[in-house]
């Protein structure tokens, strides 16, 4: 493999994405801090078509992954959101976010940046309408009550915006984003040009192959962008790339199991079939337009060129890289600090199916309502829940399992 070409390709794709990612992360932090969860619930409580539409519209810009969206959806359910609105939110939200929309524009052009959130919106609305029509209210299990944190003081809000944008989000998706960038550069160097043209007469076969790989895996909506762009430059059809961008981030095996446990079998079947079916449908429609998205992608990505990016992009890439390294180092460091000697009134439990900071926050909010819990801390990386206080194990188990996570007892 040509190492110099690989490094040049990696540098270019990081530089192209970094300004948009930094801006997208900041906007995501503003949404997270200044828009309370109850704001969304106010628009989703009625069992009608409008609540389904609002759920998709409100979910599209939120930077939540396919696992992080589940505790948020459960919190909305506890706010009396309709079952169709919950399905719409679950389907539309993880496919895009303000950060991934901007990153899509940076690498794949304006066309994909418009098509991707539009497809997510339509898919979410259709899935929510199907759930409203086919799933009875009692098909969704009774969920644990969600607590509401006290309002932040004004002087802490900016700090919380920056912490969420450039630490919490990067801690959650930094590794997957880094893997996506490296894989994209490897594809650019190692895969022969026009490799996927051998499937040219069978575009549906490309999409099915992408689905087999993407659906069970945990794929970040932002980390999937450079991979999809690199595959398109090797001959993957625009429709198949769109299937990867829709179905990959929207669902994975872990989220399927949690949704099944929390929402029921029929709800899960509609949720999964809607994502897969509409991803293929939009992929076929995109191919049918005949628009040459591959040329646009090649012009925007510049992954194969040897020219150095602009100084501004290099600075942004350096800042983003340092932030990712810091977030990942702190995440790794926390796994060791959590193993320090515990006080006598502290108990550590093992909780599985947590994947991000949203999962941690959902578990902590749930167990803090349990009598006897003085303080709680969850770690997705270590799969642990640390409880300070004399809370009963059965009560902790009920709180954790009530929001869809797996409780394994004392660690």
């Amino acid at each position: 493999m040509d190492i110099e070409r690989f490094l040049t390709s990696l540098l270019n794709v990081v530089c192209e994405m970094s300004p948009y990612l930094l801006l997208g992360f900041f906007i995501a932090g503003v949404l997270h801090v200044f828009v309370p969860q109850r704001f969304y619930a106010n628009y989703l409580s009625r069992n009608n078509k409008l609540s389904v539409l609002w759920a998709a519209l409100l979910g599209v810009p939120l930077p939540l992954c396919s696992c992080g969206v589940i505790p948020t959806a459960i919190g909305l359910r506890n706010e009396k959101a309709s079952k169709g609105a919950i399905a719409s939110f679950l389907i539309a939200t993880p496919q895009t976010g303000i950060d991934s929309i901007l990153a899509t524009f940076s690498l794949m052009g304006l066309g994909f940046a418009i098509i991707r959130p539009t497809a997510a919106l339509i898919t979410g609305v259709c899935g929510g309408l199907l759930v409203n029509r086919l799933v009875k209210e009692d098909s969704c299990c009774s969920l644990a009550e969600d607590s509401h944190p006290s309002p932040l003081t004004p002087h802490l809000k900016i700090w919380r915006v920056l912490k969420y944008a450039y630490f919490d989000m990067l801690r959650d998706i930094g590794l997957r984003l880094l893997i996506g960038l490296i894989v994209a550069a490897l594809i650019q160097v190692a895969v022969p040009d026009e490799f996927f043209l051998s499937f040219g007469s069978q575009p549906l076969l490309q999409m099915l192959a992408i689905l087999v790989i993407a659906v069970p895996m945990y794929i970040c909506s932002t980390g999937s962008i450079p991979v999809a762009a690199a595959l398109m430059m090797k001959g993957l059809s625009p429709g198949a790339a769109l299937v990867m961008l829709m179905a990959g981030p929207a669902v994975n095996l872990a989220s399927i199991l949690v949704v099944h446990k929390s929402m029921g079998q029929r709800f899960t079947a509609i949720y999964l079939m809607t994502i897969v079916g509409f991803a293929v449908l939009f992929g076929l429609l995109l191919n049918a337009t005949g628009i040459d998205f591959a040329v646009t992608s090649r012009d925007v990505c510049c992954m194969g060129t040897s020219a150095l990016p602009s100084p501004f992009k290099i600075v942004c890439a350096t800042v983003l890289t340092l932030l990712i390294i810091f977030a990942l180092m702190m995440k790794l460091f926390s796994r060791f600090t959590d193993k320090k000697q515990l006080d006598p009134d502290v108990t550590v439990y093992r909780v599985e199916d947590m994947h991000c900071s949203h999962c941690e926050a959902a578990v902590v909010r749930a167990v803090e309502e349990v009598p006897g819990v003085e303080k709680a801390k969850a770690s997705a990386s270590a799969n642990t829940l640390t409880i300070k206080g004399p809370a009963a194990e059965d009560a902790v188990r009920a709180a954790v399992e009530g929001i869809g996570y797996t409780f394994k007892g004392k660690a």
Side-chain angles (χ1 to χ4, degrees), residues 144-192:
E145 289 296 324
D146 187 28
S147 61
H148 300 281
S150 57
L152 293 173
T153 55
H155 68 278
L156 289 177
K157 287 188 176 181
I158 297 300
W159 165 248
R160 288 292 300 271
V161 167
L162 297 175
K163 179 178 180 296
Y164 179 82
Y166 301 122
F167 180 75
D168 292 342
M169 285 194 68
L170 289 174
R171 188 185 63 169
D172 293 340
I173 72 169
L175 181 60
R176 296 180 182 89
L177 176 60
L178 184 62
I179 292 172
L181 294 169
I182 293 173
V183 170
L186 286 173
I187 290 172
Q188 177 66 22
V189 174
V191 177

Side-chain angles (χ1 to χ4, degrees), residues 203-328:
L204 185 60
L205 185 60
Q206 286 187 0
M207 298 178 192
L208 294 177
I210 291 293
L211 284 172
V212 169
I213 297 172
V215 168
M217 295 178 60
Y218 188 99
I219 301 177
C220 166
S221 62
T222 304
S224 63
I225 298 167
V227 178
L231 289 174
M232 282 184 63
M233 294 177 68
K234 296 299 181 179
L236 186 71
S237 70
L242 182 62
V243 168
M244 178 180 179
L245 293 174
M246 289 181 64
V251 67
N252 62 73
L253 185 58
S255 67
I256 293 171
L257 295 176
V258 175
V259 170
H260 180 270
K261 183 176 181 180
S262 300
M263 301 295 185
Q265 183 174 349
R266 181 175 293 187
F267 184 104
T268 305
I270 297 172
Y271 158 77
L272 182 59
M273 288 189 295
T274 300
I275 292 170
V276 172
F278 275 83
V280 173
L281 175 62
F282 277 107
L284 293 173
L285 290 175
L286 185 60
N287 283 343
T289 63
I291 301 174
D292 191 0
F293 283 95
V295 174
T296 303
S297 175
R298 189 179 295 113
D299 291 340
V300 174
C301 286
C302 303
M303 287 187 289
T305 65
S306 57
L308 286 176
S310 67
F312 172 73
K313 291 182 178 180
I314 292 177
V315 171
C316 290
T318 302
V319 171
L320 180 64
T321 302
L322 292 176
L323 288 171
I324 291 175
I325 292 173
F326 175 75
L328 294 181

Side-chain angles (χ1 to χ4, degrees), residues 13-14 16-26 28 60-66 93-108 116 165 169-170 172-184 218-230 244-246 248-250 320 324:
V13 70
V14 173
E16 285 297 325
M17 291 186 70
S18 56
Y20 298 92
L21 283 175
L22 291 173
L23 175 61
F25 288 151
F26 179 77
V60 163
L62 292 182
L64 293 176
C65 59
S66 55
T93 305
Q95 293 188 46
T96 67
I98 189 64
D99 57 317
S100 64
I101 293 172
L102 292 173
T104 302
F105 171 73
S106 71
L107 285 188
M108 304 182 76
R116 192 180 185 189
M169 285 194 68
L170 289 174
D172 293 340
I173 72 169
L175 181 60
R176 296 180 182 89
L177 176 60
L178 184 62
I179 292 172
L181 294 169
I182 293 173
V183 170
Y218 188 99
I219 301 177
C220 166
S221 62
T222 304
S224 63
I225 298 167
V227 178
M244 178 180 179
L245 293 174
M246 289 181 64
L320 180 64
I324 291 175

Side-chain angles (χ1 to χ4, degrees), residues 1-13:
M1 184 180 68
D2 188 340
I3 300 298
E4 183 179 353
R5 188 181 171 205
F6 166 77
L7 294 176
T8 301
S9 175
L10 182 61
L11 174 64
N12 278 303
V13 70

